[in-house]
Amino acid sequence: DAKTTQPPSMDCAEGRAANLPCNHSTISGNEYVYWYRQIHSQGPQYIIHGLKNNETNEMASLIITEDRKSSTLILPHATLRDTAVYYCIVNYAGGTSYGKLTFGQGTILTVHP
Amino acid sequence: ETGVTQTPRHLVMGMTNKKSLKCEQHLGHNAMYWYKQSAKKPLELMFVYSLEERVENNSVPSRFSPECPNSSHLFLHLHTLQPEDSALYLCASSQEAGAQTQYFGPGTRLLVL
């Protein structure tokens, strides 16, 4: 699996966009970028994934650089409920080890009023 | 709501008790997973089921016994647990086994006394 690097923590004001970066410089051609988050004491929540094109859904946007060595998750209008640990994962769509998700340290996003 | 429910949400049990955790997914997925999440430890994959057949068992002690009666339901039977088994037990599902897009339930917070 390609390794990812994320800042340990970030702050964001409520109502502003939260931009969460992830570096994955060793990503291979068939590996996707996945984002999950985990709110305290809850199960992880899938957010979005992409291969090379930018993606958007009702939760967030994913911007992947042209060389695919980094990406940014954008929460367009952060709310207090978006305070969570955000994990960036790089893996093949079929995964490895029967779908084992490997979370790194992630980024603790704190949204302030 | 992720479409994956777990009961109970909290459980306290003695080391000689027998209890069961239940998971149900309403997403029409073919694969279901049990994960263990302990404080300050990475997510640990315990079991993977694909179409009711167990396809992965990551060296989990026999005091944890999974059961998958159909593709929508997954159980984790617990007996003679140890205090170090106290953790958040998470159920997840995906369209196919191995997929990296997984939907998690809220988890069962287990305390073994």
Side-chain angles (χ1 to χ4, degrees):
Chain A
D1 295 355
K3 294 182 179 178
T4 61
T5 304
Q6 299 177 253
S9 64
M10 293 183 65
D11 289 339
C12 178
E14 190 177 19
R16 305 298 290 267
N19 298 295
L20 296 135
C22 180
N23 288 324
H24 31 80
S25 58
T26 60
I27 191 171
S28 66
N30 295 329
E31 288 183 306
Y32 286 71
V33 180
Y34 296 84
W35 282 85
Y36 282 80
R37 73 180 182 183
Q38 188 167 20
I39 297 170
H40 182 61
S41 295
Q42 296 184 22
Q45 180 185 20
Y46 164 77
I47 301 173
I48 198 168
H49 75 281
L51 183 62
K52 49 186 175 182
N53 296 324
N54 297 337
E55 302 288 345
T56 296
N57 63 21
E58 65 279 3
M59 289 183 66
S61 294
L62 174 61
I63 308 298
I64 303 174
T65 58
E66 192 169 344
D67 63 8
R68 303 207 326 121
K69 292 185 177 182
S70 66
S71 61
T72 301
L73 178 75
I74 301 173
L75 308 178
H77 305 286
T79 70
L80 299 179
R81 289 183 294 179
D82 292 322
T83 293
V85 183
Y86 286 78
Y87 297 101
C88 169
I89 303 170
V90 171
N91 210 337
Y92 300 100
T96 58
S97 299
Y98 295 99
K100 176 182 176 182
L101 288 177
T102 303
F103 290 159
Q105 295 301 310
T107 297
I108 300 172
L109 174 69
T110 303
V111 181
H112 297 285
Chain B
E1 292 296 326
T2 63
V4 181
T5 59
Q6 288 186 245
T7 55
R9 294 292 308 277
H10 302 274
L11 179 62
V12 180
M13 59 187 290
M15 289 189 285
T16 59
N17 292 157
K18 289 185 180 180
K19 296 287 184 182
S20 295
L21 310 184
K22 179 182 176 181
C23 175
E24 183 174 359
Q25 58 99 356
H26 311 273
L27 301 169
H29 288 167
N30 292 325
M32 297 187 76
Y33 310 77
W34 279 117
Y35 285 88
K36 175 184 178 182
Q37 189 172 42
S38 304
K40 302 189 184 301
K41 286 188 177 181
L43 204 59
E44 300 174 49
L45 180 63
M46 300 175 72
F47 301 103
V48 181
Y49 276 82
S50 175
L51 295 171
E52 303 131 54
E53 295 290 328
R54 189 191 307 179
V55 296
E56 181 78 347
N57 174 357
N58 278 321
S59 302
V60 179
S62 60
R63 57 186 184 270
F64 295 93
S65 175
E67 178 190 0
C68 188
N70 55 63
S71 59
S72 298
H73 293 86
L74 186 64
F75 295 89
L76 187 63
H77 303 298
L78 316 171
H79 61 97
T80 60
L81 294 192
Q82 305 298 312
E84 59 265 29
D85 297 321
S86 298
L88 181 67
Y89 288 85
L90 294 158
C91 174
S93 73
S94 65
Q95 188 62 53
E96 305 294 341
Q100 293 289 281
T101 304
Q102 297 178 16
Y103 295 85
F104 285 79
T108 295
R109 176 72 61 185
L110 174 66
L111 177 62
V112 181
L113 300 176

